[in-house]
Amino acid sequence: MAGIIAPQRTRKSRKPTGKPNPPIILLTGPEKSGKSYEAARGSSSELIGMTYWIEIGGTEGTADYYGRVPGAAYEIVPHDGSYQDILDAIRWVNHQPRVDGKPNMLVIDSMTSLWDMLSDEIAMYARNRAIAKAQRNRSRIPTLDDPVVIDSDLWNRAKDRWGEVLWLLRRHQGPCLLLARTEIVTAFENDKPTRNTTRKVKAEKNLPAAVDAIVDLHAIGEAWLTGVRTLHMDIKPGESQRFHDFTVDTLLRRLGLQDAAESRSTSELRPDASLQEPGQQPQQQAARPAPALTGEQAAKLIRDALMHPTDPENALRELREEHGRRTLGAVKTDTGWGVMSADDLITKSLDHLKTKAEQAKNGQDEGTPSSVETSPHLSGEEEKSGPTDGDEPEPAGEGTPPPPDPATEPPAPEQPEDVSEAEEPQDLPRPRPAQANRVNKVMAVLLTEAEIQARILGMTMSEHLEAISDPNNEGTPPPMVKLRSHVIENRPMVIGLLEERGERDIANAYRLAGKPELKIASMFATLYSDLATTG
C-alpha cells in the first residue's frame, strides 16, 4: 500500500546513554514463602533513600508486623481500598523527594490482590447488567446462584485500569518491588492439558512482560531468577538460575541501580481513535456519503407541511424531528428567501406562520378583516400600488412561503369571529387528499407497530400506550410524534425478546426497519397473520 515517503516534521537523533532504568522487580512465590519478609529486609539497602509500602488486600496484614525485621526502614502509605485511592497513593509516592540524593523504593503487596479486586468489580458490574436487562425484558431476574457471563468489554475495562497502575509505576523515579502469588497449574501443550504442572503468576497475564526482573521464591531461602533484563550480570537468555543468598539489595546491585538514570526512559504508545491517515483526509472527506434528502425533496416536504389542513406548525416540527437537525442542516434549498439549509428553512417557515398569525390578530383588533390572499408583508393598498420611491424593493419571492411554488400560501389561522356559524363549513380550508392520506397511513402504521410490540411484551395495547396517552380522552390515539418516539424507544427491548425466542430473522429485519416502517405488518406476518396490512 502506497504511503507518504517524506518526513512530516523535523527530528534529531541522539546517542544512547548506556544507563539502566530504575528497575521494576516482580517477586513471586506461593503463600508463606517469604516475599513480604524479603521486601521488608530490602528496605535497608544503602542504595535506597526511603521505602514506601502500599498494602493491597490486607488479608495477611504483614506491613506493620514486618517493621520488626532487622534493618527494615519503610513507611506505610494508607488508602481506603478503592481503585482510585490506590492510584492516588502511587501518585503521592511518585512525588516524594529523594533522601540524601538516593532514589525511593515503592513496594506493592500484592499485585494478586489488586487483580482480584478488578476482577470482582467487573463481576459485580456484569451481574448488575444482567439484572437490569432482565428488568427491561420483564424476564426472570438472575439469583446469586445463577452464573453470569462477563462480556469481553468488561475484561478490556479491567485491563485498562490495570494498565493505568503500571503506567504510574513506570513514572516512579526509583525501583519498584511488586509482590505476587504463584499457583501450581496444569501445563498445556497445543491447547491440550498434559500430566505435567507449572507455576503461574496469579495476576494479569502480561505482568511478567512489564517488569525488568522476576525472582521466584519456591520456599523460604530458595530463590530462582527466572527472567531479567540487565547487562550488569552474566546470564544466558531463557535460562533460570538459582539465586543463592538472595536479598533485594544484591538484586538491585546486579541490575545496576547504582548506575541507573534518575527516571525511566519510556516511549508510550498513543492510540488514535479516528484511524485517519494525514495524507488521506481529503479523500475521506470526498467519499463522505451524500445526505439522505435532496434540496428538492426537502423543499417539497416543507411545502406539504405548510399546507397541512389543520396544524402546519406542528407538521413542520414533526418533519424536523423525523429527519433530524443535522441531516436537514446539510441539505441546501433554493427558495424565494435565498439559498439556505432545510433546517433554516423550517425555522424561517415557523417564523412566517407566527407573523401571519399576529397580522391576522392585529387586523381583527383594528376592525379590519384578515385575508388569506393578502401578502404576508404587504397590506392590500400597498400590494396594488407597489413600492414607493423611498422604499427598497423587496427581493423576488419575499413574503411567500419558501418552497418552490411562490403562489401557494399556507392557510392563515382563523378566529371564531371571522365567519358566521352558517358560513363556517364553506370557509374552512379544504384538506389536500394526498396529505391527509399520508398522515392517516403513517398513523395506522405506528398503531400497528405498537400493537405488535404490545403482543410481544405480553401486555394490552392500552397498557403499552398508557405512558403517552391522555387520561382524559380514553380510546383516543396519542399524538403522532409521541407515538413514533414511543415505538422507537421500545424497539431494542422487543428485538431482545425476539432473539431470546429464536426469531433471529425477524429480529434482524426489525433492527433495520424504517422510522416508521410501512411494511411492519408483512414483516411480522409469520407471527401474527391477523394484522391488517398497512404497507
Side-chain angles (χ1 to χ4, degrees):
M1 179 178 178
I4 301 174
I5 60 174
Q8 300 299 294
R9 66 182 180 91
T10 304
R11 303 175 189 272
K12 185 177 181 181
S13 60
R14 63 176 180 85
K15 294 184 178 296
T17 62
K19 294 183 177 182
N21 289 322
I24 299 178
I25 303 170
L26 178 60
L27 192 59
T28 67
E31 60 277 0
K32 311 302 185 293
S33 58
K35 300 184 295 296
S36 300
Y37 178 86
E38 293 295 342
R41 188 169 65 158
S43 63
S44 63
S45 174
E46 295 181 356
L47 301 177
I48 301 299
M50 175 58 70
T51 298
Y52 294 98
W53 192 296
I54 299 179
E55 188 173 36
I56 300 176
T59 55
E60 300 175 356
T62 57
D64 282 303
Y65 181 51
Y66 282 165
R68 301 178 59 177
V69 173
Y74 60 87
E75 293 182 357
I76 301 174
V77 182
H79 57 84
D80 62 8
S82 65
Y83 169 76
Q84 292 297 338
D85 205 47
I86 292 173
L87 280 183
D88 200 60
I90 299 176
R91 297 188 192 101
W92 182 86
V93 173
N94 290 351
H95 281 77
Q96 298 311 301
R98 294 188 170 214
V99 178
D100 298 332
K102 300 177 182 179
N104 300 326
M105 184 168 69
L106 171 60
V107 177
I108 296 185
D109 185 12
S110 69
M111 300 296 286
T112 299
S113 298
L114 176 61
W115 181 243
D116 287 344
M117 183 190 72
L118 296 177
S119 301
D120 291 341
E121 284 182 347
I122 63 173
M124 295 170 61
Y125 190 91
R127 181 164 296 276
N128 293 337
R129 175 187 286 181
I131 293 174
K133 181 179 179 181
Q135 291 175 344
R136 289 195 307 269
N137 299 337
R138 300 188 179 184
S139 57
R140 188 179 70 88
I141 296 178
T143 64
L144 294 178
D145 296 331
D146 295 331
V148 174
V149 178
I150 301 177
D151 297 328
S152 58
D153 66 312
L154 295 181
W155 283 115
N156 292 336
R157 179 57 179 156
K159 288 179 177 291
D160 289 343
R161 292 161 76 88
W162 174 270
E164 190 169 356
V165 173
L166 296 182
W167 186 87
L168 287 175
L169 294 179
R170 288 193 291 268
R171 273 142 188 83
H172 177 62
Q173 298 183 355
C176 298
L177 187 58
L178 313 180
L179 278 57
R181 293 199 312 271
T182 57
E183 53 187 1
I184 306 299
V185 297
T186 301
F188 279 74
E189 184 176 355
N190 297 328
D191 296 332
K192 294 182 180 180
T194 64
R195 296 182 179 180
N196 302 325
T197 59
T198 185
R199 294 176 180 269
K200 180 182 179 182
V201 179
K202 195 173 186 301
E204 202 275 328
K205 63 180 181 180
N206 294 318
L207 177 60
V211 300
D212 299 296
I214 305 173
V215 177
D216 191 9
L217 301 178
H218 291 189
I220 297 177
E222 182 183 352
W224 290 80
L225 186 63
T226 60
V228 67
R229 184 187 297 116
T230 181
L231 298 176
H232 283 70
M233 58 186 300
D234 186 16
I235 188 171
K236 296 180 181 179
E239 181 184 43
S240 297
Q241 290 186 358
R242 177 71 182 270
F243 203 130
H244 297 283
D245 300 326
F246 167 75
T247 63
V248 173
D249 177 73
T250 303
L251 179 59
L252 292 176
R253 295 182 185 277
R254 292 188 180 183
L255 294 177
L257 179 60
Q258 63 276 9
D259 302 326
E262 291 189 0
S263 61
R264 293 184 65 90
S265 175
T266 59
S267 179
E268 299 289 349
L269 299 178
R270 298 170 58 189
D272 188 357
S274 64
L275 301 180
Q276 178 175 291
E277 300 295 339
Q280 296 180 356
Q281 187 172 359
Q283 289 80 354
Q284 288 184 354
Q285 292 180 352
R288 185 176 299 170
L293 287 175
T294 64
E296 295 181 357
Q297 292 172 342
K300 182 179 183 302
L301 291 175
I302 296 174
R303 182 174 64 246
D304 292 343
L306 280 168
M307 298 306 300
H308 193 276
T310 58
D311 195 351
E313 180 177 352
N314 187 48
L316 286 171
R317 298 188 187 278
E318 287 185 358
L319 178 62
R320 172 177 281 169
E321 181 178 352
E322 179 179 356
H323 293 279
R325 304 197 68 160
R326 180 174 298 180
T327 300
L328 294 172
V331 179
K332 298 298 181 183
T333 57
D334 188 4
T335 71
W337 285 326
V339 179
M340 64 181 69
S341 68
D343 184 63
D344 293 339
L345 187 54
I346 291 178
T347 302
K348 190 81 171 177
S349 300
L350 290 172
D351 295 339
H352 175 67
L353 291 176
K354 183 178 179 181
T355 302
K356 291 293 294 180
E358 292 177 352
Q359 289 179 352
K361 183 177 180 180
N362 293 335
Q364 291 166 8
D365 293 340
E366 297 172 2
T368 303
S370 62
S371 175
V372 175
E373 298 177 358
T374 304
S375 178
H377 295 292
L378 295 174
S379 65
E381 296 178 358
E382 291 173 337
E383 199 169 36
K384 293 177 182 178
S385 60
T388 60
D389 295 338
D391 297 333
E392 294 183 2
E394 292 184 357
E398 182 70 17
T400 61
D405 186 3
T408 305
E409 186 72 12
E414 296 185 357
Q415 301 293 334
E417 301 82 16
D418 291 347
V419 291
S420 66
E421 293 182 358
E423 296 174 339
E424 187 174 1
Q426 289 76 20
D427 292 343
L428 287 175
R430 302 178 62 183
R432 297 176 60 187
Q435 179 69 17
N437 292 339
R438 179 177 178 273
V439 173
N440 294 335
K441 186 174 183 179
V442 172
M443 192 67 181
V445 166
L446 294 176
L447 290 174
T448 302
E449 183 173 357
E451 181 181 356
I452 293 172
Q453 291 183 350
R455 295 185 182 186
I456 295 176
L457 295 174
M459 61 180 67
T460 63
M461 185 73 160
S462 58
E463 291 176 343
H464 184 43
L465 301 181
E466 182 179 2
I468 59 174
S469 299
D470 186 359
N472 298 325
N473 296 323
E474 295 184 2
T476 303
M480 184 187 299
V481 175
K482 292 185 177 181
L483 180 60
R484 176 179 175 273
S485 301
H486 185 68
V487 297
I488 292 176
E489 290 175 358
N490 283 273
R491 281 186 179 184
M493 187 186 307
V494 174
I495 292 172
L497 290 176
L498 289 172
E499 291 179 342
E500 291 181 1
R501 298 176 184 178
E503 302 291 346
R504 299 189 179 277
D505 293 339
I506 299 179
N508 292 333
Y510 193 32
R511 187 178 287 107
L512 303 175
K515 303 175 183 178
E517 175 54 56
L518 300 180
K519 297 185 180 297
I520 190 68
S522 59
M523 183 182 299
F524 287 86
T526 57
L527 293 180
Y528 309 108
S529 58
D530 60 323
L531 292 174
T533 304
T534 59

